[in-house]
Amino acid sequence: MYVADSRAAGTPAPASADGAVRHPAGRRRAAVAPTVLALGTVSLITDVSSEMVTAVLPLYLVAGLGLSPLGFGLLDGVYNGFSAVVRLAGGHLADRGGGRHKAVAGLGYGISALCKPLLLLAHTLTPIGLILAADRTGKGLRTAPRDALISLSSPPESRGRAFGVHRAMDTAGALLGPLAAFWILRATVDGYDAVFTVSSCVAVVGVLVLVLFVPGGTGTTTATTTAQAARPTLRAALALLRTRELRRITVCAVLLGLATVSDSFVYLLLQRRLGVPDRWFALLPLGTAAAFLLLAVGAGRLADRVGRWRVFLAGHVALLAAYGLLLTSWHGTALPYAVLLLHGAFYAATDGVLMAAASDRVPEGLRSTGLAVVQTGQALARFACSLLFGAAWTVWGDRTALLASAVALAFCAAWCSLTLRPSREAAV
């Protein structure tokens, strides 16, 4: 179904102002490249490992180690936002090294794999924070080069679908990870230690698949080789934000990220609302992952057809609806399903779609760095949101903290829609 058609990777199709790509009459639509499928497999395996830890981490820290919501907010911010510190470095190294995207991505995957067994030795806030910071350093190094490989191996008219397929495979791992953690917790005495051990082994398999099966080249046109030969400088990388369209995308991602409550807090809010037993907590991420998996490819294809900007904003509307359900007094059995469905729809409409939109505005020789700029802004914003939300929960309570986040998200989405609408400038 997704075998690449090399004939479609020639002249790119023109993009409209809103990010929709016009397909020339009679031209066959490009399929997803083998590089995308290989990277999707690596992400699937790695996400099994990562989500096993992520699924049990909130409960392990709050219930097991007795951390306050503020302390958990600090660690959660480190876990989700520390990678922002090194994303620019990872992106620039991949571009500066003459297109060494696979090597930099492999280094990032390797660092994260080494961190998993160290969780067995840490039982206090400081060492756990350091280990999570190192793990996120690995994620920061690999994310932009990996997404650059996806972008560079895909023609513009099918980038939304390519990112959608990758994110769907990635999310399949996110679906399997919590399920594996759930069964390990039920089947073993030292459940948390067993989860961390199995997670370590799975992470090593992911690194091996990357080394053995992901092509080292980008698979793009000769223009890429010319751009790489120029060895992009740091000044050229920093100058990317002078590009009006990329600057608008980055500002939008930052503003909306400031009002995006982290996944862990969403699951903790659901547990408190419904009184979910601790042993079932690890299954909550399955709802988000299942919705993401089912909707990711369709959202990517829709973004290619109607415009990436529209789909991206629609995803935040879905997230706002999820917040609204959590704020209501409704306690029906359908509540968790509705919230998790909307949560997964949010990711399906924003994660890969944002990278596809940014790819259209960045030259090939700086593709990894340009994507890292957007990812860094978004990650720093979400790091700040985790800290602020944890503090607000500690001081005002969970309901007031979520209400403040919902109001902020509605305001930022409306402002971005009215003032940051893409102009009619041509893509880079």
Side-chain angles (χ1 to χ4, degrees):
M1 178 178 179
Y2 294 118
V3 177
D5 181 0
S6 59
R7 293 173 295 174
T11 305
S16 68
D18 60 5
V21 179
R22 310 303 182 198
H23 299 272
R27 178 176 170 181
R28 184 177 177 182
R29 296 178 67 184
V32 175
T35 298
V36 177
L37 297 179
L39 286 169
T41 303
V42 174
S43 293
L44 188 156
I45 296 171
T46 302
D47 241 37
V48 171
S49 171
S50 298
E51 293 302 322
M52 286 177 65
V53 175
T54 302
V56 302
L57 196 61
L59 199 62
Y60 175 65
L61 295 175
V62 175
L65 300 184
L67 291 181
S68 68
L70 178 58
F72 175 72
L74 176 62
L75 278 183
D76 189 67
V78 168
Y79 192 71
N80 291 293
F82 191 85
S83 61
V85 177
V86 292
R87 286 193 190 200
L88 284 174
H92 183 64
L93 283 174
D95 290 333
R96 180 72 174 174
R100 296 174 184 170
H101 301 90
K102 177 182 175 179
V104 177
L107 176 62
Y109 280 110
I111 291 174
S112 294
L114 290 174
C115 289
K116 297 297 190 300
L118 297 180
L119 289 171
L120 294 167
L121 307 176
H123 298 92
T124 58
L125 180 62
T126 299
I128 291 176
L130 292 174
I131 293 170
L132 294 181
D135 178 74
R136 294 300 89 180
T137 296
K139 181 175 177 60
L141 284 174
R142 71 179 184 251
T143 301
R146 180 204 66 197
D147 285 348
L149 279 172
I150 296 171
S151 172
L152 291 169
S153 64
S154 306
E157 65 268 22
S158 64
R159 278 184 188 142
R161 181 166 54 156
F163 276 103
V165 169
H166 173 268
R167 293 322 195 246
M169 296 180 71
D170 181 270
T171 307
L175 191 65
L176 294 172
L179 190 60
F182 170 74
W183 286 112
I184 291 172
L185 287 175
R186 286 178 59 88
T188 59
V189 177
D190 297 324
Y192 293 118
D193 287 349
V195 168
F196 298 151
T197 300
V198 175
S199 173
S200 304
C201 298
V202 176
V204 172
V205 175
V207 175
L208 291 176
V209 172
L210 175 75
V211 172
L212 296 176
F213 297 104
V214 174
T218 59
T220 56
T221 62
T222 55
T224 303
T225 304
T226 303
Q228 289 172 352
R231 292 296 179 93
T233 64
L234 183 59
R235 177 179 297 179
L238 295 176
L240 284 173
L241 284 177
R242 297 176 187 171
T243 306
R244 186 178 182 185
E245 288 299 311
L246 183 63
R247 185 171 64 248
R248 289 186 175 196
I249 290 172
T250 305
V251 171
C252 183
V254 168
L255 288 176
L256 293 170
L258 285 171
T260 301
V261 177
S262 75
D263 299 357
S264 298
F265 277 124
V266 171
Y267 303 142
L268 284 173
L269 287 166
L270 263 180
Q271 186 203 30
R272 294 200 172 200
R273 280 285 307 276
L274 302 175
V276 177
D278 290 354
R279 66 180 180 276
W280 297 103
F281 182 84
L283 292 181
L284 290 179
L286 291 178
T288 296
F292 193 175
L293 175 63
L294 293 174
L295 299 174
V297 177
R301 296 182 66 179
L302 182 64
D304 288 337
R305 186 175 299 119
V306 305
R308 288 152 191 165
W309 178 259
R310 294 189 181 99
V311 174
F312 181 71
L313 286 180
H316 287 86
V317 172
L319 182 62
L320 186 60
Y323 291 172
L325 288 177
L326 287 171
L327 288 168
T328 64
S329 57
W330 181 37
H331 286 79
T333 55
L335 175 63
Y337 301 102
V339 170
L340 295 175
L341 175 62
L342 290 168
H343 199 225
F346 157 70
Y347 279 113
T350 59
D351 192 10
V353 172
L354 178 62
M355 291 298 97
S359 296
D360 295 337
R361 267 63 187 180
V362 182
E364 291 185 359
L366 289 169
R367 185 64 51 81
S368 184
T369 305
L371 296 184
V373 168
V374 179
Q375 293 167 354
T376 297
Q378 185 180 59
L380 286 174
R382 290 183 175 178
F383 172 78
C385 183
S386 287
L387 294 180
L388 293 173
F389 189 84
W393 185 337
T394 302
V395 176
W396 299 328
D398 56 350
R399 187 178 182 84
T400 303
L402 183 60
L403 178 61
S405 296
V407 171
L409 180 61
F411 176 80
C412 291
W415 192 82
C416 289
S417 177
L418 293 174
T419 64
L420 294 180
R421 190 183 303 276
S423 68
R424 298 188 179 277
E425 296 176 2
V428 175

